[in-house]
Amino acid sequence: FGLFIQFQAGMSPKITVELLRKLRQVMKGSKYVAEPIQAYIIPSGDAHQSEYIAPCDCRREFICGFNGSAGTAIVTEQHAAMWTDGRYFLQASQQMDNNWTLMKMGLKETLSQEDWLISVLPENSKVGVDPWIIAADQWKTLAKALSSAGHSLVAVQQNLIDAIWEDRPARPSTQLSALGLKYTGLRWQDKVMQLRAKMAERKISWFVVTALDEVAWLFNLRGSDIEYNPVFFAYAIIGMNSIRLFLDEKRTADPVVRDHLVLTEPSKAELHVECLPYQRVHDELQAVCSTLGPKDKVWICDKASCALTQAIPKMHRAPIPYTPLCLAKAVKNPTEIQGMRMAHIKDAVALCELFTCRNKIKPSDKITLSLLFASSQQKDFVGLSFPTISSVGPNGAIIHYRPLPETNRTLSLTELYLIDSGAQYRDGTTDVTRTMHFGTPTDYEKECFTYVLKGHIAVSAAVFPNGTKGHLLDSFARAALWDSGLDYLHGTGHGVGCFLNVHEGPCGISYKTFADEPLEAGMILSDEPGYYEDGSFGIRLENVVLVVPTKPKYNYRNRGSLTFEPITLVPIQLKMIRSELLTQKERDWLNDYHRKCQEIIGAELERQGRKEALDWLIRETQPIM
Amino acid sequence: FGLFIQFQAGMSPKITVELLRKLRQVMKGSKYVAEPIQAYIIPSGDAHQSEYIAPCDCRREFICGFNGSAGTAIVTEQHAAMWTDGRYFLQASQQMDNNWTLMKMGLKETLSQEDWLISVLPENSKVGVDPWIIAADQWKTLAKALSSAGHSLVAVQQNLIDAIWEDRPARPSTQLSALGLKYTGLRWQDKVMQLRAKMAERKISWFVVTALDEVAWLFNLRGSDIEYNPVFFAYAIIGMNSIRLFLDEKRTADPVVRDHLVLTEPSKAELHVECLPYQRVHDELQAVCSTLGPKDKVWICDKASCALTQAIPKMHRAPIPYTPLCLAKAVKNPTEIQGMRMAHIKDAVALCELFTCRNKIKPSDKITLSLLFASSQQKDFVGLSFPTISSVGPNGAIIHYRPLPETNRTLSLTELYLIDSGAQYRDGTTDVTRTMHFGTPTDYEKECFTYVLKGHIAVSAAVFPNGTKGHLLDSFARAALWDSGLDYLHGTGHGVGCFLNVHEGPCGISYKTFADEPLEAGMILSDEPGYYEDGSFGIRLENVVLVVPTKPKYNYRNRGSLTFEPITLVPIQLKMIRSELLTQKERDWLNDYHRKCQEIIGAELERQGRKEALDWLIRETQPIM
């Protein structure tokens, strides 16, 4: 499962006349802005760089009706425009009324937000934005472009959408749960100490934690403030002798939290957690910064909000693309690895159950429910890790299809079926995709499937030196497709959290060169090449894989080598494979993989007394020649 | 042949006491600087971003003695320090006396130039640099760092090294030669018109040409101002209706040049070339800029000198990573492709001759001379395109070894021999590497050679969609080595000019992600994986390859596919190959390649009456099973 697309059923446009009138009123009025502003920018996203956001943060959707995962709206006195990318052109045009202009990003003729603003604004305009939901680096670029054209970018502290959003949902503050050593492998106190060691190494005095999964990982706490992600709204400021945690005050009263964070009894001063209200983070950070010596430096992620970043005086600011917590979280410890293995075994059991009884249930949305039911029977099941993609035939070509009443198709014996699902268990997060045919696939479908399988194996079995970055492996996944003139237009893999977000940095396998960090033993990623034929079918084959050390014949410059070990253990449908297109090495890989599935998942199915599923598993994992 | 290392025989340190005293005097005096400067930076390089430089531009070598290709010297009142990278630590420490501190780049404890300056300078210091030999982007970074610490970076117009360099060589001004349509395929007038079309498309009014190979390519002129590179010192400023060419005045008097550029007769106004003295470029550019309207933009490469870049007011400046000439030059036209093919045929003939008579000559430096002799017998030979690398045994592990009296080894029957050579012909530039054994190679040497060959074939035979960037192919070259725990620490390929520089942008095949442009049919690159074992041997296998369209079975989204066609046609030594490690596809590739060598080079050897070489070629190109 790659990039998430939030897509809901209603596709009639939202009527925005009245909303825009109100917004333009507050843009002019003196209640929220010192001087009238001529334009207001409404980005997607929350104050924590989250990929998934809570309903209270869906401000761009509120103002224009478009609910895709990516898009920025800008409202001026005369115009309202919304920028989004090619994945969403159709959806956005259906969800927005004609008060809005759709700005199609990626097309040559489409102006950038800066250029558009400059083209429509009167001289000396003020452009407002909420500094909490714009990243510091974006602010900088935008401010520069605007000022070079005689305008200025201003931070509007009160969010103007919130000001006009009458029934805006409250910010969630769900029950928190504490994870014990059995799940985390490391006490939060030890994580703090390790973090401080890294800060000392780099001569850093303070670190501001802004990403929700980093706060959750650091303190071994989980919540459910955001759907699919077991996180909760919080910030932290870690000093060498102090720990400040900012979260909804009522949470601090929770005995579970008090106990876990040792709030009740006096603890060692440097491990004492001072809990403060969520809203106080900015003022506290300013207070901290006012005590800094001339050489003190404060770490903050360069994607953190402009508001928090600018609270740190420039001379003390040390922005980093990936925080030490992001890196530490990515390298799973033995307990986490074991948890991820267990979670994937349970997930495989649920999928085997589902595939066994596939004949009893037909429409693809019903399969989603069946799977949810099967997963929920497994120990420590918490919920899904993303909305299940369950698509039949041509729907499979829509890379992140979610069954909708209008487009739902029924499983058939003549079409390919693609299921991409994942769950949150207390011991780990899963993500797996299988493509199957329940009748007789065409030779062409099998050929494409086999190329995708070859790509999957090429990555999974790759041996590469320590220090290699994931993007260098991306072409391995495509070579077989390229050889036949085929390709897929998404990345090959993403980091996977451990009972955390299903997408996490700082590693990935993609043709897009982003500043990824080298792969390390203990990291967990997805390996998910695909092939999609518009209007016909979609194929994707995804395992979650663990980076492990390996010892090839030689060891050049003592660098050591790495490879991947699949953690997902779900059969790959043999019927779809044109065995003659595989090399002997690829056949060996497949047989070995299926042997492992049979052994490990078979044992678990047996233990759980799932006889029918076990029979199915054994049938589906026979070696090929 | 990858990155060039200039390495000369003398390895005793240069005595610099007196030079440093003189330099510090001019840093303090009022003759060259308005106010005394506390530090002076001496970068490598000339005013044209050249990779190879003329003797008059070797200022860093002059002041410190170190003559490697990369290094920056900084002299303060108290200190003298020189930064270079790992390739040069040994050489630099041998060539510099103890007035100099060697700053080893890439080591954790080594301060950056900025940090070092800040640590040694007294408050409010002025740091001087020649704005002609520092790139605009470097200037910006450095100026920012210094000013944040209370110092300032100042442009010293008169180069202070030149001021103390008594016997500084004159700037070369060699005879120019004009290339006719037969060699270029396109008149310079048409190149100017095509350039203007691109400028019009992007609404650009002026373009400043600063790279020497771009000036040479645009005007279809060649010189020999810089060793190995057929270029000449010049700038050009191209407007929509005017062409200004800046070069040594005496060149303008040359009838060949006058004739070629149609200086004598009145030509169409917009194709009239105005020749101006080389030194006038700055003032003319300023004059041009003073006439600009508010929307006029001027293109200049972002790696151009600070002096020229800053001559363009910021509001008119449009810096680009690759100029339209760089891109146009990279995609060879049919005449250039034909010329490159011919050049490589001649080169192959010379190499066949060399290998045929290898028994008559022994030490590796003598082979270099023999090859030069063989090449010079070929039509339109101009010179070498880089210093020949000719290394026996352990010298092969020094990636850019050049035979030196102290280290020269004699060919033997027990060691590997690596030769990496290239030449300039009037129709094209060549670059080829072969590794051979004249006795019986060990199994291990053969195994490593075979992995390198597999990597070479994997790139050469790769099929990939239009729009793919070269860096995505780099791992293909390494996969076989990685599988066995081996690797090589250089890139896999670079662009090759046509009777121009042997290294050119904007494409390459490398694990380093630089901002490369997508590969296009007509581009010419090298494919040169290797393996190097310190103290034992070096293996590299390099062909020059042409990007060509190909038609695999399918055509996803009508994007079209590309692959490579080898232009280099020199046998790959069969004795070195462990055939059982090759796949059938790889054996087919090799046999097909050797068949082509035999056919094309055989015909030419026959035509030239080189019977002995023809016999050798036929023996060396037998198919393997």
Side-chain angles (χ1 to χ4, degrees):
Chain A
F1 170 62
L3 258 183
F4 172 60
I5 295 180
Q6 211 175 356
F7 202 99
Q8 286 169 2
M11 286 302 258
S12 54
K14 175 164 183 170
I15 307 304
T16 59
V17 190
E18 186 55 19
L19 286 178
L20 286 171
R21 195 190 56 73
K22 281 187 191 165
L23 178 59
R24 286 176 177 135
Q25 209 164 26
V26 293
M27 284 163 60
K28 269 184 287 193
S30 59
K31 190 166 171 197
Y32 304 112
V33 287
E35 281 184 88
I37 56 172
Q38 283 68 49
Y40 188 63
I41 303 177
I42 306 109
S44 308
D46 65 11
H48 303 271
Q49 317 107 253
S50 302
E51 184 186 0
Y52 295 50
I53 56 177
C56 63
D57 288 318
C58 297
R59 299 181 178 99
R60 188 250 302 135
E61 175 185 350
F62 171 77
I63 192 67
C64 72
F66 165 63
N67 69 359
S69 69
T72 298
I74 303 186
V75 175
T76 69
E77 285 155 327
Q78 308 289 335
H79 304 91
M82 204 282 299
W83 281 255
T84 191
D85 62 66
R87 295 173 297 172
Y88 292 118
F89 293 164
L90 182 68
Q91 181 184 342
S93 68
Q94 289 174 344
Q95 294 184 321
M96 299 196 304
D97 69 8
N98 58 15
N99 291 299
W100 287 86
T101 308
L102 173 58
M103 304 298 285
K104 298 180 173 180
M105 286 164 68
L107 301 192
K108 246 187 181 172
E109 62 271 22
T110 304
L111 290 179
S112 68
Q113 292 164 29
E114 298 90 295
D115 288 344
W116 181 83
L117 279 167
I118 292 166
S119 75
V120 302
L121 288 177
E123 270 177 41
N124 275 311
S125 285
K126 291 195 186 333
V127 178
V129 67
D130 179 345
W132 286 92
I133 54 175
I134 184 168
D137 51 354
Q138 285 175 290
W139 168 282
K140 212 170 148 183
T141 316
L142 192 58
K144 209 171 151 184
L146 289 175
S147 82
S148 81
H151 309 297
S152 58
L153 185 64
V154 296
V156 181
Q157 293 301 332
Q158 157 77 49
N159 189 292
L160 298 189
I161 300 297
D162 299 358
I164 62 163
W165 189 348
E166 283 172 13
D167 52 352
R168 178 168 171 249
R171 183 160 303 283
S173 180
T174 52
Q175 174 84 45
L176 298 191
S177 70
L179 291 182
L181 260 188
K182 177 183 147 197
Y183 293 106
T184 65
L186 207 61
R187 297 183 321 142
W188 65 261
Q189 290 89 338
D190 295 316
K191 290 183 178 178
V192 168
M193 296 311 285
Q194 289 183 359
L195 170 63
R196 283 179 180 150
K198 278 191 196 144
M199 289 164 63
E201 197 186 301
R202 300 299 178 91
K203 301 200 174 83
I204 297 291
S205 325
W206 296 87
F207 169 46
V208 188
V209 196
T210 61
L212 300 185
D213 61 340
E214 294 184 15
V215 180
W217 182 84
L218 179 61
F219 290 101
N220 293 335
L221 285 169
R222 296 295 186 270
S224 51
D225 289 2
I226 294 183
E227 212 181 348
Y228 310 115
N229 296 344
V231 296
F232 55 97
F233 286 100
Y235 291 100
I237 302 178
I238 312 294
M240 296 309 281
N241 296 301
S242 75
I243 302 169
R244 289 175 177 79
L245 177 61
F246 301 84
L247 72 180
D248 182 18
E249 281 172 284
K250 89 167 185 242
R251 284 173 154 158
T252 320
D254 181 341
V256 172
V257 174
R258 297 190 69 77
D259 213 46
H260 178 72
L261 296 179
V262 206
L263 301 181
T264 32
E265 46 190 300
S267 57
K268 266 206 279 184
E270 81 262 25
L271 285 173
H272 171 69
V273 180
E274 187 182 355
C275 287
L276 294 157
Y278 179 69
Q279 287 78 4
R280 282 198 46 79
V281 62
H282 182 269
D283 295 352
E284 277 293 318
L285 181 55
Q286 273 191 326
V288 161
C289 289
S290 69
T291 67
L292 297 180
K295 291 210 162 179
D296 283 331
K297 293 275 177 197
V298 182
W299 259 342
I300 187 164
C301 180
D302 62 7
K303 286 167 277 301
S305 70
C306 174
L308 268 194
T309 306
Q310 295 191 350
I312 309 165
K314 214 169 171 182
M315 64 175 294
H316 297 302
R317 215 182 286 162
I320 33 175
Y322 297 110
T323 74
L325 290 186
C326 176
L327 286 162
K329 176 165 64 61
V331 182
K332 273 69 181 171
N333 66 39
T335 308
E336 290 170 322
I337 291 172
Q338 184 54 21
M340 287 294 271
R341 285 190 201 279
M342 294 313 295
H344 281 82
I345 291 172
K346 293 183 275 189
D347 219 48
V349 167
L351 280 167
C352 289
E353 272 293 307
L354 178 81
F355 295 139
T356 308
C357 55
R358 69 172 163 84
N359 292 316
K360 300 171 204 148
I361 33 146
K362 290 276 177 166
S364 65
D365 56 348
K366 292 286 165 8
I367 301 184
T368 306
L369 289 176
S370 292
L371 177 59
L372 181 58
F373 177 73
S375 307
S376 67
Q377 294 181 317
Q378 296 299 314
K379 185 163 172 275
D380 278 345
F381 175 82
V382 176
L384 297 181
S385 61
F386 58 91
T388 302
I389 297 166
S390 166
S391 55
V392 175
N395 287 336
I398 302 165
I399 297 180
H400 288 107
Y401 177 77
R402 273 170 73 179
L404 300 178
E406 301 93 308
T407 58
N408 199 15
R409 292 171 78 93
T410 294
L411 271 189
S412 79
L413 297 179
T414 58
E415 289 176 310
L416 277 177
Y417 174 64
L418 183 155
I419 182 161
D420 185 352
S421 67
Q424 298 285 2
Y425 300 90
R426 277 180 81 79
D427 40 8
T429 302
T430 67
D431 185 359
V432 49
T433 310
R434 287 294 180 268
T435 306
M436 355 189 59
H437 203 290
F438 300 118
T440 308
T442 66
D443 265 6
Y444 178 60
E445 287 165 339
K446 287 165 68 176
E447 182 185 357
C448 296
F449 184 95
T450 307
Y451 296 148
V452 172
L453 173 61
K454 286 169 84 79
H456 179 91
I457 297 173
V459 169
S460 198
V463 173
F464 49 91
N466 260 309
T468 302
K469 293 182 170 192
H471 70 256
L472 292 172
L473 308 179
D474 185 73
S475 300
F476 290 156
R478 297 175 203 273
L481 287 161
W482 283 356
D483 262 343
S484 295
L486 306 179
D487 196 9
Y488 54 97
L489 302 181
H490 60 71
T492 302
H494 55 81
V496 181
C498 180
F499 187 29
L500 267 178
N501 298 353
V502 71
H503 293 163
E504 68 169 29
C507 290
I509 302 175
S510 177
Y511 59 98
K512 292 175 199 151
T513 43
F514 58 104
D516 55 343
E517 291 287 319
L519 297 173
E520 264 182 65
M523 285 180 168
I524 291 182
L525 291 97
S526 72
D527 169 14
E528 48 177 317
Y531 176 69
Y532 311 90
E533 192 133 317
D534 286 345
S536 309
F537 61 81
I539 293 165
R540 187 164 60 253
L541 198 45
E542 175 184 25
N543 278 355
V544 167
V545 294
L546 168 71
V547 183
V548 292
T550 184
K551 285 193 190 232
K553 202 166 169 190
Y554 305 112
N555 187 9
Y556 179 63
R557 298 211 168 184
N558 271 313
R559 287 193 298 175
S561 291
L562 300 171
T563 187
F564 297 109
E565 181 197 322
I567 285 191
T568 303
L569 294 171
V570 176
I572 294 165
Q573 202 182 27
L574 297 173
K575 184 200 281 186
M576 286 302 299
I577 300 169
R578 280 176 55 180
S579 171
E580 78 280 11
L581 297 177
L582 297 182
T583 64
Q584 190 52 49
K585 257 178 93 175
E586 288 164 343
R587 280 188 287 266
D588 291 346
W589 183 94
L590 188 73
N591 290 336
D592 187 57
Y593 179 71
H594 276 154
R595 195 190 41 73
K596 236 174 123 180
C597 289
Q598 200 182 103
E599 213 173 279
I600 297 172
I601 307 305
E604 181 64 19
L605 286 171
E606 193 143 11
R607 207 186 58 77
Q608 297 194 12
R610 299 177 187 273
K611 182 75 184 67
E612 210 185 336
L614 179 58
D615 290 345
W616 176 86
L617 175 71
I618 291 168
R619 271 200 312 278
E620 295 286 323
T621 51
Q622 293 305 307
I624 60 164
M625 297 305 154
Chain B
F1 170 64
L3 259 181
F4 172 61
I5 296 179
Q6 212 175 352
F7 202 99
Q8 286 168 5
M11 288 301 260
S12 55
K14 175 163 182 169
I15 307 303
T16 59
V17 190
E18 185 55 19
L19 285 178
L20 285 171
R21 195 191 55 72
K22 281 187 189 167
L23 177 60
R24 286 175 176 135
Q25 207 165 27
V26 292
M27 284 164 60
K28 270 186 283 192
S30 59
K31 189 165 170 196
Y32 304 112
V33 288
E35 283 184 85
I37 56 172
Q38 284 69 47
Y40 188 63
I41 304 178
I42 306 110
S44 307
D46 64 13
H48 302 271
Q49 316 108 250
S50 303
E51 184 186 0
Y52 295 50
I53 55 176
C56 62
D57 289 318
C58 297
R59 299 182 178 96
R60 186 250 302 134
E61 175 185 350
F62 171 78
I63 192 68
C64 71
F66 166 61
N67 69 358
S69 69
T72 299
I74 304 185
V75 175
T76 69
E77 284 155 327
Q78 306 291 335
H79 304 90
M82 207 281 302
W83 283 254
T84 192
D85 62 67
R87 295 174 295 173
Y88 291 118
F89 293 164
L90 182 67
Q91 181 184 343
S93 68
Q94 289 174 344
Q95 294 184 322
M96 299 194 305
D97 69 9
N98 57 15
N99 291 298
W100 287 87
T101 307
L102 173 57
M103 304 297 284
K104 298 182 173 180
M105 287 164 68
L107 301 193
K108 245 186 181 170
E109 63 271 23
T110 305
L111 289 180
S112 68
Q113 291 163 31
E114 298 91 294
D115 289 343
W116 181 83
L117 278 167
I118 293 166
S119 75
V120 302
L121 288 176
E123 268 178 44
N124 274 311
S125 284
K126 290 195 187 330
V127 177
V129 67
D130 179 345
W132 286 92
I133 54 175
I134 184 168
D137 51 354
Q138 285 175 289
W139 169 281
K140 211 170 148 182
T141 316
L142 192 57
K144 209 171 151 183
L146 289 175
S147 81
S148 81
H151 308 297
S152 58
L153 184 63
V154 295
V156 181
Q157 293 301 332
Q158 160 74 51
N159 190 293
L160 298 188
I161 300 298
D162 299 358
I164 62 163
W165 190 347
E166 281 171 15
D167 52 353
R168 178 168 170 248
R171 183 160 304 282
S173 180
T174 52
Q175 173 84 44
L176 298 191
S177 70
L179 289 183
L181 261 187
K182 179 183 146 195
Y183 293 107
T184 65
L186 206 61
R187 298 182 320 142
W188 65 261
Q189 289 90 339
D190 296 316
K191 290 182 177 177
V192 169
M193 296 309 287
Q194 289 182 358
L195 169 63
R196 283 179 179 152
K198 276 188 198 145
M199 289 164 64
E201 198 186 301
R202 301 297 179 94
K203 302 202 173 83
I204 297 291
S205 322
W206 296 88
F207 169 46
V208 188
V209 195
T210 61
L212 300 185
D213 61 341
E214 294 185 15
V215 179
W217 182 84
L218 179 62
F219 290 102
N220 292 335
L221 286 169
R222 297 293 188 272
S224 50
D225 289 2
I226 293 182
E227 210 181 351
Y228 308 114
N229 296 345
V231 296
F232 56 96
F233 285 101
Y235 291 101
I237 302 179
I238 312 294
M240 295 310 280
N241 296 300
S242 74
I243 303 168
R244 288 176 178 78
L245 177 61
F246 300 84
L247 71 181
D248 182 16
E249 280 172 289
K250 89 166 185 242
R251 284 172 155 159
T252 321
D254 182 340
V256 172
V257 175
R258 297 190 69 77
D259 214 45
H260 179 72
L261 296 179
V262 205
L263 300 181
T264 34
E265 46 190 303
S267 56
K268 268 207 278 183
E270 81 260 27
L271 285 173
H272 170 69
V273 180
E274 188 181 356
C275 286
L276 294 156
Y278 179 70
Q279 289 78 5
R280 281 199 48 78
V281 63
H282 183 268
D283 294 354
E284 278 292 319
L285 181 56
Q286 274 192 326
V288 161
C289 289
S290 70
T291 68
L292 296 181
K295 293 210 158 178
D296 282 330
K297 294 273 178 198
V298 182
W299 258 343
I300 188 163
C301 179
D302 62 6
K303 286 165 277 301
S305 69
C306 173
L308 268 194
T309 306
Q310 295 193 348
I312 309 166
K314 215 169 170 182
M315 64 175 294
H316 298 302
R317 216 182 286 161
I320 34 175
Y322 296 109
T323 75
L325 290 185
C326 177
L327 286 162
K329 177 164 63 60
V331 182
K332 273 68 178 170
N333 65 39
T335 308
E336 290 170 322
I337 291 172
Q338 184 54 21
M340 287 293 272
R341 285 190 201 279
M342 295 312 297
H344 281 82
I345 290 173
K346 292 183 277 190
D347 219 49
V349 166
L351 280 167
C352 289
E353 273 292 307
L354 177 80
F355 295 140
T356 308
C357 55
R358 67 169 166 85
N359 292 317
K360 298 171 205 150
I361 34 147
K362 290 276 179 169
S364 67
D365 56 347
K366 293 286 166 359
I367 302 185
T368 305
L369 289 176
S370 292
L371 177 59
L372 180 58
F373 176 73
S375 307
S376 68
Q377 293 182 318
Q378 297 298 314
K379 186 162 171 278
D380 279 345
F381 175 82
V382 176
L384 299 181
S385 60
F386 59 90
T388 303
I389 297 166
S390 166
S391 54
V392 176
N395 287 337
I398 303 164
I399 296 181
H400 288 107
Y401 177 76
R402 271 170 75 178
L404 300 178
E406 301 94 309
T407 58
N408 199 15
R409 291 172 78 94
T410 293
L411 273 189
S412 78
L413 297 178
T414 58
E415 288 176 311
L416 277 177
Y417 174 65
L418 184 154
I419 180 161
D420 184 352
S421 67
Q424 299 285 2
Y425 300 89
R426 279 180 79 78
D427 41 8
T429 303
T430 67
D431 185 359
V432 49
T433 311
R434 287 295 179 269
T435 306
M436 353 189 61
H437 202 290
F438 300 117
T440 305
T442 66
D443 264 4
Y444 179 59
E445 286 165 338
K446 286 165 69 177
E447 182 184 358
C448 296
F449 184 94
T450 307
Y451 295 148
V452 172
L453 174 62
K454 285 169 85 78
H456 180 91
I457 297 174
V459 170
S460 199
V463 173
F464 48 91
N466 260 309
T468 302
K469 293 182 170 193
H471 70 256
L472 292 172
L473 308 180
D474 186 72
S475 300
F476 290 155
R478 299 177 201 273
L481 288 161
W482 282 358
D483 262 343
S484 296
L486 306 180
D487 195 9
Y488 55 97
L489 303 181
H490 59 72
T492 302
H494 55 81
V496 181
C498 180
F499 186 27
L500 268 176
N501 298 353
V502 72
H503 293 163
E504 66 169 30
C507 291
I509 302 174
S510 178
Y511 59 98
K512 292 175 199 152
T513 44
F514 59 105
D516 55 343
E517 292 288 318
L519 296 173
E520 264 182 66
M523 286 179 167
I524 291 181
L525 291 97
S526 71
D527 169 13
E528 46 179 317
Y531 176 68
Y532 310 90
E533 193 134 315
D534 286 345
S536 310
F537 61 83
I539 293 167
R540 186 162 61 253
L541 197 45
E542 175 186 27
N543 279 353
V544 168
V545 294
L546 169 69
V547 183
V548 291
T550 184
K551 284 192 192 238
K553 203 166 169 191
Y554 306 113
N555 187 9
Y556 179 63
R557 298 213 170 181
N558 271 313
R559 285 193 299 173
S561 290
L562 300 170
T563 187
F564 297 109
E565 181 197 320
I567 285 192
T568 302
L569 294 171
V570 176
I572 293 165
Q573 201 180 30
L574 297 173
K575 183 199 281 186
M576 287 301 300
I577 300 170
R578 280 178 53 180
S579 172
E580 79 280 10
L581 297 177
L582 297 181
T583 65
Q584 191 52 46
K585 257 178 93 177
E586 288 164 342
R587 280 188 288 267
D588 291 346
W589 183 94
L590 188 72
N591 290 337
D592 187 57
Y593 178 71
H594 276 153
R595 194 189 43 71
K596 237 174 121 180
C597 290
Q598 199 181 105
E599 212 173 279
I600 297 173
I601 307 305
E604 181 64 18
L605 286 171
E606 193 141 13
R607 206 185 60 76
Q608 297 194 14
R610 300 178 187 273
K611 182 76 185 69
E612 210 184 337
L614 179 59
D615 289 346
W616 177 85
L617 175 71
I618 291 169
R619 274 199 311 275
E620 295 286 322
T621 51
Q622 292 305 307
I624 61 164
M625 296 306 155

